[in-house]
Amino acid sequence: MSGVDLTVKIGRLTLKNPVLVSSGTFGYGREFADFFDINRLGGIITKAITPQPRPGNPPPRTVETPAGLLNAIGLENCGLEAFVREKMPYLKTLDTAVIVNVAGASEQDYVDVVRRLAEEDGVDGFEINISCPNVKEGGIEFGTRPEPAAALVGKLRRETDKTLIVKLSPNVTDPCEIAEAAEGAGADAFSLVNTFRGMAINQETGRPVLGNRIGGLSGPAIKPLALYQVYRLSLKSTKSIIGMGGIFNTADAMEFIYAGADAISVGTANLVRPTASLEIVEGLEAYCAARGVGRIGDCVGRAHE
Amino acid sequence: MSGVDLTVKIGRLTLKNPVLVSSGTFGYGREFADFFDINRLGGIITKAITPQPRPGNPPPRTVETPAGLLNAIGLENCGLEAFVREKMPYLKTLDTAVIVNVAGASEQDYVDVVRRLAEEDGVDGFEINISCPNVKEGGIEFGTRPEPAAALVGKLRRETDKTLIVKLSPNVTDPCEIAEAAEGAGADAFSLVNTFRGMAINQETGRPVLGNRIGGLSGPAIKPLALYQVYRLSLKSTKSIIGMGGIFNTADAMEFIYAGADAISVGTANLVRPTASLEIVEGLEAYCAARGVGRIGDCVGRAHE
Amino acid sequence: MKYFLKAKVRENTVLSEGWHALRIECPEIAASASPGQFVQLRAWEGASPLLARPIGVAGVPAAGEILLWVQRVGDGTRLITGLKAGDAISVTGPLGRGFTMPAAGETVYFAAGCVGAAPLRFVAERQQAGVKSIFFYGAGTQCDTVAPLADPVISGMEVVVTTDDGTCGEKGFVTDALRSALKNKKPDRILACGPMGMLRAVAALAAEAGVKCEVSMESHMGCGLGACNGCVVSVKDGTGKKYAHVCTDGPVFDSDYIDWEAF
Amino acid sequence: MKYFLKAKVRENTVLSEGWHALRIECPEIAASASPGQFVQLRAWEGASPLLARPIGVAGVPAAGEILLWVQRVGDGTRLITGLKAGDAISVTGPLGRGFTMPAAGETVYFAAGCVGAAPLRFVAERQQAGVKSIFFYGAGTQCDTVAPLADPVISGMEVVVTTDDGTCGEKGFVTDALRSALKNKKPDRILACGPMGMLRAVAALAAEAGVKCEVSMESHMGCGLGACNGCVVSVKDGTGKKYAHVCTDGPVFDSDYIDWEAF
Ligand SMILES: Cc1cc2nc3c(=O)[nH]c(=O)nc-3n(C[C@H](O)[C@H](O)[C@H](O)COP(=O)(O)OP(=O)(O)OC[C@H]3O[C@@H](n4cnc5c(N)ncnc54)[C@H](O)[C@@H]3O)c2cc1C
Ligand SMILES: Cc1cc2nc3c(=O)[nH]c(=O)nc-3n(C[C@H](O)[C@H](O)[C@H](O)COP(=O)(O)OP(=O)(O)OC[C@H]3O[C@@H](n4cnc5c(N)ncnc54)[C@H](O)[C@@H]3O)c2cc1C
Ligand SMILES: Cc1cc2nc3c(=O)[nH]c(=O)nc-3n(C[C@H](O)[C@H](O)[C@H](O)COP(=O)(O)O)c2cc1C
Ligand SMILES: Cc1cc2nc3c(=O)[nH]c(=O)nc-3n(C[C@H](O)[C@H](O)[C@H](O)COP(=O)(O)O)c2cc1C
Ligand code: FES
Ligand code: FES
């Protein structure tokens, strides 16, 4: 191999490389197994899990916008028990970090999921989704003010020694305030950004296109906005950061790493090219090798210099 | 003509049609006079004026992102006196609404500009820019919390009977809170959105591309986000709304009108096609005529139904 | 097994205004695709359009290649129909659940609207001897009937054509023709693909006649892989399930599983 | 007067790898453009690339048309160089302030780096009789010298070529050749266009030799009209002005007005 050290630490976890795949865009991993060996990834982040199954929002659930994708899936998922029964057996066979994205309508919902999975072998960490813009019960009230965020994270911290990643919303004046509160309550790491609230209107009928009216914007359109949020948080927080938002290729990934992300996560790009994340794993290695970078970690935060 | 009534009211002003051009993208009007008769527009909004001249930020000041433009101009302008001396004479010859965008580092700065221009014949209204993301002194502290916004607007209200439009920042948890405060203090109308804070990083050097490091994103990329902000404000506020953000053609303009904008403003599109705004004036008329809409005002807010 | 391939266009023929037949070289997909399945196509760089476009497989005209019928409606299909022989195209597939293949001795009615003929053509191509079938085909006007009527597979069958304006075949909807036929003889199954309004009408006819019916549904597709939950349609079943994924549960569904009132 | 026109490509010729000569039909602009001015081009729909691309006018080869030399470096220039005769292109112009035209009896040195030869070619095309001029041209390697050397206007002058690798003309930089020439004879003016590093070096040579020098600057262009304040370069003048607009104050500036240390 090239001899480049791609390993990174995210909270209590060491990833073999900094490339993750984002919640809601990679299913439970198996959906992509035909296309490449997903053990090549640094890790995978599952679709959000809630205690009970959720049917999700009425269609249409997605609409394309310039260089972006609006979605209002509404946290459709099979629920905690079905997840353990149907998805965990496969996840346990993986030789890559498995991070479960957790969502809920109440503190208790989050606690239920984390408690149940805390002792599961195949789960390496949790991404606490307090930033879903698409459902009233999507935890967004925990994501917009510091106090509820801290209270929630504190409760979850008591449930598990596994890595707790708090996923931040960009739809607030200052995500760093939420991060600071969560850090104080025991968060190990942060991931950002979740989608930006947006909408599209049918120009003939004048009505919202999405069944849910409002959705969250992802994809290349939001990359500059996401980069700024990562840059800003990394100025203030010493915790690990997983950067995401519009990462489609190696150059995009490096932008986030330079902005201060310890790891990056590929979302919408998985829908466009199923092998996008693997291409970035290989691309980062080639990027470092070509420039004599021995450790990808040395690039983190260079934009701050 | 087609018999479509395109007039709209914005605060105390009646515009001949709902198409404005956005601050910072249309200079002081004259720059576009070679291309079309700018009196065809509903109005023009000038580049930000500050009491003293400002040189602006170091270059590079712009960089393209997917379907977007990041800028960090830094409120470069010739200052209040030069504006009155050099720009007002031309603006006075216009037969369309002239709205002056006002920025500053302190309440006094805003007061100075509004007071000086309050009695000027050629000025029909003010757009109070409390949302420039690109300079520390860009008024953003007035745009992120309700109290300073209300205090500032209150002071300005005492200076003028002309229409006071408050330009809102989308970089906050809830622009409606700021709007509510400003409304209470006497604002006649709101315009939104200003740009979204963002950045780009050079993938070779790892350094920010913009001279100012951070900039504001405009263009088609932000259209879904801007639409949502307009939709949300129009649910809560009874004041006139000028919608903007990524409007490039008639269909985009109609989306904002359906979302709840009484008028719309064309920004980045002016840089791409100097005649974009005129095309939209003509396009709105044709849109209404083709669908038997007698008054464009009847379309406002249809997305809420 | 699903594949994500950089494939090559072998041939792109205009069958009628805006209706193209593309033959694409992708041996793995050609070898495993079954009628009713689809592929996701992307033939451009950059971010617009962002997502790949779903297109049904219309046949396997020669070893190693698939046939697609693509109608130009927006940017994605404009770029796809603009390809030339030799151009590269990414193809993900085969995806989804296809039609139940008619068994020997069965009678099947195909109900196709416009380019919805594509996946049904593939059923016909694979159809074994001893199946009796009628191909009901509806379009707006004559020019949209050129492609299917000139096709060797379709024209080898009994075909009933309707057009909205009467410029080809009977004037009326494909469901009018189907309704008359159902009065004469009930098939073992109706297989339908076309615009939503037509599918709903076909489903209603089938229910009325008590004939099994399968419909190929469309929706805004994200991943095409069952990973993003973006592509749902409303369904009704005993278990209270509300939505099904077009990309993996479908695109072909039993017509009585679809909640037609939700559309 | 500035125009925004839907113009037509008359001819697109590849002069060398990635270096195209486009002749564009736009009578209004052809009639009024002066050497050193530029146009903003857009030859695509949709949002990527978003902005129009600035390209200097390289000449007016025939009544009603302008000549452009475009080097392919990214998406915008790829789309522009991909145009065919008859294709539509939006052109805004003529824009900016051009070069001071040499007067009869004056001696002028042109210093061009790569495709920076374009606007200088236009100066040469318009040059009146009785001007003595030498065209210093520098490029990386031989293939980038094909276009200017084959050009009738440029090849009609005294030309000194340098290449970084010595595959054509002298090995070295254009400034090496210019330095030697300045030792022999000081011209009335140097007119320069090319990469930033070269311009800086030319400006230093000119200052040292006490020769007037004009440089054509580049920057990320927004409107091209003086309306957005996006295109500034750092300048130094007595009044404390810090920035000038490339699109309206330039693109051509006196070289001692530019604050070279800011780059
Ligand atoms: C499973 C499946 C199989 C398909 N098979 C075929 C096929 O074999 N041949 C074929 O030509 N088309 C087929 N389609 C439809 C095709 O995917 C769409 O026409 C295409 O995605 C439109 O993309 P565009 O960029 O050209 O248009 P867009 O710019 O996305 O849209 C242009 C117009 O088309 C409408 N439109 C967009 N997507 C769809 C859609 N899924 N269905 C109906 N209207 C749409 C839009 O509302 C808009 O008015 C299939 C769709 C699905 C889901
Ligand atoms: C006043 C003026 C006159 C010009 N005249 C000509 C001309 O006659 N012929 C010609 O071929 N080019 C000319 N240029 C340069 C031309 O505008 C750029 O090469 C072009 O805009 C790049 O666009 P793109 O989309 O192809 O590349 P992008 O995708 O925008 O960029 C590709 C690469 O080129 C670099 N680049 C982008 N813009 C510039 C720039 N302005 N200068 C240098 N590098 C850049 C980028 O950093 C990137 O590395 C001129 C520029 C200006 C400002
Ligand atoms: C279809 C879709 C579904 C998503 N579902 C979830 C989810 O369940 N939980 C979550 O935290 N984020 C979810 N997200 C957000 C992504 O994980 C990611 O934060 C966001 O899309 C930005 O990254 P991108 O631009 O690379 O897609 C979803 C995004 C998309 C596009
Ligand atoms: C180059 C540039 C300069 C701008 N300058 C100002 C300004 O001086 N004052 C202001 O309130 N907004 C300014 N804006 C913001 C625009 O007025 C507008 O709010 C924003 O660009 C969103 O609209 P758009 O996407 O149509 O451009 C500027 C935007 C751009 C692109
Ligand atoms: S398109 Fe992603 S789940 Fe169906
Ligand atoms: S490009 Fe807009 S001011 Fe120069």
Side-chain angles (χ1 to χ4, degrees):
Chain A
M1 297 299 286
S2 61
V4 179
D5 179 5
L6 287 180
T7 59
V8 297
K9 284 203 66 175
I10 293 295
R12 305 161 190 213
L13 269 176
T14 299
L15 308 181
K16 60 176 94 164
N17 65 59
V19 181
L20 297 158
V21 284
S22 304
S23 180
T25 66
F26 206 76
Y28 302 96
R30 187 152 43 173
E31 292 84 346
F32 286 74
D34 275 0
F35 302 108
F36 67 95
D37 175 7
I38 64 180
N39 291 323
R40 296 282 304 279
L41 297 174
I44 73 172
I45 307 179
T46 69
K47 175 71 193 167
I49 302 297
T50 52
Q52 301 302 320
R54 286 182 56 93
N57 287 328
R61 290 183 176 180
T62 64
V63 54
E64 282 180 69
T65 65
L69 177 69
L70 271 174
N71 89 76
I73 306 298
L75 297 180
E76 174 184 337
N77 78 97
C78 58
L80 180 59
E81 287 315 318
F83 171 73
V84 171
R85 207 170 52 238
E86 292 161 22
K87 311 295 180 187
M88 279 300 305
Y90 173 75
L91 292 171
K92 279 187 182 154
T93 68
L94 295 180
D95 177 28
T96 186
V98 172
I99 295 166
V100 174
N101 183 278
V102 183
S106 63
E107 283 187 354
Q108 194 56 46
D109 281 354
Y110 288 89
V111 168
D112 286 350
V113 175
V114 170
R115 180 177 294 162
R116 175 74 178 81
L117 298 177
E119 303 309 322
E120 283 285 339
D121 247 9
V123 174
D124 298 294
F126 299 98
E127 181 180 52
I128 308 307
N129 180 0
I130 53 170
S131 45
C132 179
N134 294 330
V135 295
K136 279 191 221 68
E137 318 77 23
I140 192 67
E141 74 264 38
F142 300 109
T144 38
R145 286 183 304 122
E147 303 75 22
L152 175 65
V153 172
K155 285 232 166 77
L156 299 178
R157 184 71 286 170
R158 287 192 282 281
E159 298 294 335
T160 184
D161 292 329
K162 289 177 173 166
T163 294
L164 269 187
I165 303 159
V166 173
K167 185 162 185 180
L168 299 170
S169 171
N171 300 300
V172 298
T173 308
D174 187 2
C176 301
E177 284 181 13
I178 317 291
E180 202 183 322
E183 195 170 324
D188 295 309
F190 298 103
S191 59
L192 72 172
V193 298
N194 209 320
T195 53
F196 286 78
R197 246 179 273 135
M199 76 188 300
I201 293 176
N202 181 306
Q203 51 148 312
E204 286 304 328
T205 63
R207 302 287 194 278
V209 174
L210 293 174
N212 187 51
R213 293 177 163 248
I214 290 162
L217 188 67
S218 65
I222 68 165
K223 191 185 68 167
L225 311 183
L227 260 181
Y228 165 68
Q229 298 295 350
V230 167
Y231 177 85
R232 154 153 109 152
L233 179 62
S234 88
L235 281 173
K236 299 213 183 153
S237 171
T238 57
K239 296 288 174 186
S240 325
I241 294 177
I242 301 171
M244 67 185 92
I247 298 179
F248 269 58
N249 55 41
T250 301
D252 296 336
M254 283 309 308
E255 281 196 76
F256 276 85
I257 291 171
Y258 285 134
D262 300 284
I264 60 91
S265 190
V266 179
T268 304
N270 298 313
L271 315 189
V272 174
R273 293 195 320 276
T275 54
S277 54
L278 177 66
E279 291 163 28
I280 293 172
V281 172
E282 292 172 347
L284 288 180
E285 180 153 9
Y287 180 97
C288 291
R291 286 160 186 80
V293 175
R295 245 175 44 91
I296 188 92
D298 294 341
C299 298
V300 174
R302 184 174 300 164
H304 297 293
E305 288 167 18
Chain B
M1 297 298 288
S2 62
V4 179
D5 179 4
L6 288 180
T7 58
V8 297
K9 283 202 67 175
I10 293 295
R12 304 160 191 214
L13 269 176
T14 299
L15 308 181
K16 61 177 91 163
N17 66 59
V19 182
L20 296 158
V21 284
S22 305
S23 180
T25 66
F26 207 75
Y28 302 96
R30 188 154 39 173
E31 293 84 347
F32 287 75
D34 275 359
F35 303 108
F36 66 97
D37 175 6
I38 64 180
N39 291 322
R40 296 282 306 278
L41 297 174
I44 72 172
I45 308 179
T46 69
K47 175 71 192 168
I49 302 296
T50 53
Q52 301 303 318
R54 286 182 54 94
N57 286 327
R61 289 182 176 180
T62 64
V63 52
E64 282 180 70
T65 65
L69 177 68
L70 271 174
N71 89 76
I73 306 298
L75 298 181
E76 174 184 337
N77 79 97
C78 58
L80 178 59
E81 287 316 316
F83 171 74
V84 172
R85 208 170 50 238
E86 293 162 21
K87 313 294 179 186
M88 280 300 305
Y90 174 76
L91 292 171
K92 278 185 182 156
T93 68
L94 295 180
D95 177 29
T96 185
V98 172
I99 294 165
V100 173
N101 183 277
V102 183
S106 63
E107 283 187 354
Q108 195 56 46
D109 282 353
Y110 288 89
V111 169
D112 286 350
V113 176
V114 170
R115 180 176 295 160
R116 174 76 180 78
L117 298 177
E119 304 309 320
E120 283 285 338
D121 246 10
V123 173
D124 299 294
F126 298 98
E127 181 181 54
I128 308 305
N129 179 359
I130 52 170
S131 45
C132 179
N134 294 330
V135 295
K136 280 190 219 71
E137 318 76 24
I140 191 68
E141 74 264 39
F142 301 109
T144 38
R145 285 182 305 123
E147 302 77 20
L152 175 65
V153 171
K155 285 231 167 78
L156 300 178
R157 185 72 288 169
R158 286 192 283 281
E159 299 293 335
T160 185
D161 291 330
K162 289 179 173 167
T163 294
L164 268 187
I165 303 159
V166 173
K167 185 161 183 180
L168 298 170
S169 171
N171 300 299
V172 299
T173 308
D174 187 1
C176 301
E177 284 182 10
I178 317 289
E180 203 183 322
E183 194 170 326
D188 296 308
F190 298 103
S191 61
L192 71 173
V193 296
N194 209 321
T195 54
F196 285 79
R197 247 181 273 137
M199 77 187 301
I201 292 177
N202 181 306
Q203 50 148 313
E204 286 304 327
T205 64
R207 303 287 193 278
V209 174
L210 294 173
N212 188 52
R213 293 179 163 247
I214 290 161
L217 189 68
S218 66
I222 68 166
K223 190 185 68 170
L225 311 183
L227 261 181
Y228 165 68
Q229 297 296 349
V230 167
Y231 178 85
R232 154 154 109 153
L233 179 64
S234 88
L235 280 173
K236 299 212 182 153
S237 170
T238 56
K239 295 290 173 184
S240 326
I241 293 177
I242 302 171
M244 67 185 90
I247 299 178
F248 269 58
N249 55 41
T250 302
D252 297 335
M254 284 308 308
E255 281 195 78
F256 277 85
I257 291 170
Y258 286 134
D262 300 284
I264 61 90
S265 190
V266 179
T268 303
N270 298 313
L271 315 190
V272 175
R273 293 195 320 274
T275 53
S277 54
L278 176 67
E279 291 163 28
I280 295 172
V281 172
E282 292 172 346
L284 289 180
E285 180 154 10
Y287 180 98
C288 291
R291 285 160 187 79
V293 175
R295 246 176 43 92
I296 187 89
D298 294 341
C299 297
V300 174
R302 184 175 301 165
H304 297 293
E305 287 166 19
Chain C
M1 184 77 182
K2 293 166 196 144
Y3 302 90
F4 170 63
L5 306 169
K6 271 261 164 267
K8 217 178 230 158
V9 175
R10 270 212 194 142
E11 194 181 82
N12 177 357
T13 323
V14 192
L15 298 183
S16 61
E17 169 57 23
W19 184 322
H20 289 238
L22 283 101
R23 287 168 40 199
I24 294 179
E25 196 174 321
C26 47
E28 297 86 344
I29 295 174
S32 56
S34 66
Q37 287 191 302
F38 67 101
V39 291
Q40 294 259 79
L41 303 179
R42 207 166 191 270
W44 53 88
E45 298 297 313
S48 49
L50 191 61
L51 297 170
R53 294 303 193 242
I55 299 289
V57 179
V60 177
E65 63 183 53
I66 56 173
L67 172 72
L68 306 173
W69 278 355
V70 183
Q71 199 165 31
R72 197 178 59 226
V73 298
D75 274 356
T77 49
R78 184 177 52 73
L79 291 165
I80 292 165
T81 55
L83 295 171
K84 290 181 299 293
D87 283 350
I89 182 168
S90 321
V91 187
T92 309
L95 302 174
R97 254 186 31 133
F99 289 105
T100 304
M101 288 300 289
E106 285 187 338
T107 300
V108 57
Y109 286 178
F110 297 103
C114 225
V115 79
L120 297 174
R121 182 202 172 282
F122 193 16
V123 178
E125 181 182 296
R126 284 281 164 90
Q127 192 166 291
Q128 53 179 133
V131 174
K132 164 125 191 56
S133 54
I134 309 182
F135 202 96
F136 294 89
Y137 179 76
T141 185
Q142 190 270 337
C143 84
D144 284 335
T145 65
V146 175
L149 293 182
D151 181 75
V153 170
I154 294 177
S155 62
M157 308 167 69
E158 182 179 346
V159 182
V160 177
V161 176
T162 62
T163 50
D164 299 356
D165 62 4
T167 47
C168 182
E170 293 169 49
K171 183 175 158 94
F173 296 132
V174 70
T175 41
D176 298 333
L178 191 63
R179 185 180 296 108
S180 319
L182 283 169
K183 282 189 191 132
N184 287 336
K185 178 169 166 54
K186 291 192 182 159
D188 294 287
R189 200 178 276 104
I190 300 173
L191 306 183
C193 184
M196 185 58 65
M198 176 201 129
L199 294 183
R200 191 207 324 253
V202 170
L205 282 181
E208 206 182 289
V211 174
K212 278 196 197 139
C213 176
E214 292 179 356
V215 291
S216 179
M217 301 293 288
E218 289 198 1
S219 76
H220 287 249
M221 208 56 86
C223 62
L225 308 170
C228 76
N229 298 332
C231 61
V232 296
V233 287
S234 300
V235 297
K236 41 178 202 239
D237 72 0
T239 74
K241 186 170 169 182
K242 289 171 71 173
Y243 305 115
H245 299 119
V246 170
C247 71
T248 45
D249 300 326
V252 177
F253 295 91
D254 284 343
S255 69
D256 53 13
Y257 185 56
I258 301 297
D259 181 2
W260 298 103
E261 275 154 39
F263 291 93
Chain D
M1 185 77 182
K2 294 168 194 140
Y3 302 90
F4 170 63
L5 307 169
K6 270 260 165 266
K8 217 179 231 157
V9 176
R10 269 213 194 142
E11 194 181 81
N12 177 356
T13 324
V14 191
L15 299 184
S16 61
E17 168 59 22
W19 183 322
H20 290 239
L22 283 103
R23 286 168 43 199
I24 294 178
E25 196 174 321
C26 47
E28 297 87 343
I29 295 174
S32 56
S34 65
Q37 288 192 301
F38 67 100
V39 293
Q40 293 259 79
L41 303 178
R42 210 167 188 271
W44 52 89
E45 298 296 313
S48 51
L50 189 61
L51 298 170
R53 295 303 192 241
I55 299 290
V57 179
V60 176
E65 63 182 51
I66 55 172
L67 172 72
L68 305 173
W69 278 355
V70 183
Q71 199 164 30
R72 197 176 62 225
V73 299
D75 274 356
T77 50
R78 184 177 52 73
L79 291 164
I80 293 166
T81 55
L83 295 171
K84 289 182 297 292
D87 283 350
I89 181 167
S90 323
V91 186
T92 309
L95 304 174
R97 253 187 31 134
F99 289 105
T100 304
M101 288 301 288
E106 284 189 338
T107 301
V108 57
Y109 287 177
F110 296 103
C114 225
V115 79
L120 297 174
R121 182 201 172 284
F122 193 17
V123 178
E125 182 181 296
R126 285 282 164 91
Q127 192 167 290
Q128 52 179 133
V131 172
K132 163 123 193 59
S133 56
I134 308 180
F135 202 94
F136 294 89
Y137 179 75
T141 185
Q142 190 271 336
C143 83
D144 284 336
T145 65
V146 174
L149 293 183
D151 181 74
V153 170
I154 293 177
S155 62
M157 308 167 69
E158 182 179 344
V159 182
V160 177
V161 175
T162 61
T163 50
D164 299 355
D165 62 3
T167 48
C168 181
E170 292 169 50
K171 183 175 159 96
F173 296 132
V174 69
T175 41
D176 300 331
L178 192 62
R179 186 179 295 111
S180 320
L182 284 170
K183 281 188 193 135
N184 288 336
K185 178 170 167 51
K186 290 190 180 158
D188 294 288
R189 200 177 279 102
I190 299 172
L191 305 182
C193 184
M196 186 57 66
M198 177 202 129
L199 294 183
R200 191 208 322 253
V202 169
L205 282 181
E208 206 182 290
V211 174
K212 280 195 197 141
C213 175
E214 292 181 358
V215 291
S216 179
M217 301 293 289
E218 289 198 0
S219 77
H220 288 248
M221 208 58 86
C223 61
L225 308 170
C228 76
N229 298 333
C231 63
V232 296
V233 287
S234 299
V235 298
K236 41 179 201 238
D237 71 2
T239 73
K241 187 170 168 184
K242 290 172 69 175
Y243 305 114
H245 299 118
V246 170
C247 71
T248 45
D249 301 325
V252 177
F253 295 92
D254 285 341
S255 69
D256 53 13
Y257 184 56
I258 301 296
D259 181 1
W260 296 103
E261 274 154 38
F263 291 94

